[in-house]
Amino acid sequence: MKKLIVGNWKMKGSLAANESLIQALRSGMPTAACNVALCVPSVYLSQCQALLAGSAIDLGAQDVSAHESGAFTGELSGAMLREFGVRYCIVGHSERRQYHAETDTLVALKAQRALASGMTPIVCVGETLDEREAGQTDEVVKRQLAAVIHANGHCISEIVVAYEPVWAIGTGKTASVEQAQQVHLVLRSQLRAASSQADRIHILYGGSMNAANAAQLLAQPDIDGGLVGGASLKAPDFLSIITSAP
Ligand code: PGA
């Protein structure tokens, strides 16, 4: 399966910075690259859709409402995102679970809404440092993924999963290759129990992935790509991660 490298810009960027970043990525993209997507702040979707037109890079959003439409001030529906060519949508990022009190149930509904709108949800799961130290890693990620499997039934083979240990996000601390592969295998087994198509589901690693550690992580049998925050904002670093994806 072709690897998938996704940039998560978070709340970063500007009209000028986006333009120079995307231009640099377009001109530096290797010809036989893996699948690549950029999850940009929603206000820049229109700009980035235009800048990415005709390129091999897909557009993504960072969240979607669990509702179809209605009186939900500040939220964006799946249909709205689709109007701007959004193919992927991150759901349940740990920053949203933590700062916006998103529960497993809400995340599962968002994944369902993304699928119903024709987008691929990138479902994030991951344990905190306390949970890891208490030996609860497997239990936590399985609980988070189980909610999404339960709500999405046979459509589960259409999702992307991202394992992002919370303690590794933005901290410069990457999970070791062994730690990451071990959790990816736990998730793969859980997906296999739910779907005969589990082996074609991308399971991405996220958390301080960078130009120096990407190749080793991406060489693991159950690591099918990366969800890249900080390093996706620097064109040479992001291009080097893309190049290291076999
Ligand atoms: P990071 O972020 O690469 O900056 O650690 C990853 C993420 O939060 O998706």
Side-chain angles (χ1 to χ4, degrees), residues 8 10 90 93-95 164 168-172 206-209 227-231:
N8 174 13
K10 308 194 180 187
I90 298 173
H93 190 282
S94 63
E95 287 149 17
E164 298 205 308
I169 295 177
T171 57
S208 300
M209 185 181 265
L227 182 54
V228 186

Side-chain angles (χ1 to χ4, degrees), residues 63-67 75 91-92 96-97 100-113 147-148 151-152:
D63 186 31
V64 62
S65 173
H67 304 282
E75 295 214 46
V91 298
R96 295 210 57 90
R97 292 180 190 261
H100 300 269
E102 294 198 3
T103 61
D104 294 341
T105 312
L106 180 66
V107 172
L109 286 173
K110 289 186 170 195
Q112 201 175 39
R113 181 55 49 206
V148 178
N152 290 281

Side-chain angles (χ1 to χ4, degrees), residues 65-207:
S65 173
H67 304 282
E68 202 172 336
S69 80
F72 300 102
T73 302
E75 295 214 46
L76 299 172
S77 73
M80 292 171 184
L81 297 173
R82 283 296 296 148
E83 284 204 293
F84 292 90
V86 172
R87 165 140 188 221
Y88 294 98
C89 181
I90 298 173
V91 298
H93 190 282
S94 63
E95 287 149 17
R96 295 210 57 90
R97 292 180 190 261
Q98 192 181 345
Y99 308 134
H100 300 269
E102 294 198 3
T103 61
D104 294 341
T105 312
L106 180 66
V107 172
L109 286 173
K110 289 186 170 195
Q112 201 175 39
R113 181 55 49 206
L115 286 167
S117 313
M119 296 183 292
T120 300
I122 301 175
V123 177
C124 299
V125 301
E127 81 288 2
T128 62
L129 188 57
D130 284 354
E131 289 163 342
R132 173 161 285 269
E133 286 174 348
Q136 294 166 346
T137 299
D138 293 5
E139 183 191 321
V140 168
V141 299
K142 283 165 82 174
R143 189 202 71 222
Q144 292 171 332
L145 184 57
V148 178
I149 291 173
H150 180 73
N152 290 281
H154 68 274
C155 293
I156 202 68
S157 61
E158 305 304 320
I159 75 168
V160 168
V161 177
Y163 168 55
E164 298 205 308
V166 177
W167 48 272
I169 295 177
T171 57
K173 282 187 211 150
T174 325
S176 72
V177 170
E178 296 75 23
Q179 280 173 328
Q181 164 58 25
Q182 190 267 330
V183 178
H184 279 237
L185 185 56
V186 166
L187 296 168
R188 179 85 64 204
S189 310
Q190 189 178 5
L191 292 166
R192 279 190 185 132
S195 164
S196 58
Q197 306 285 308
D199 287 2
R200 65 179 192 84
I201 300 177
H202 283 90
I203 307 179
L204 315 181
Y205 170 79

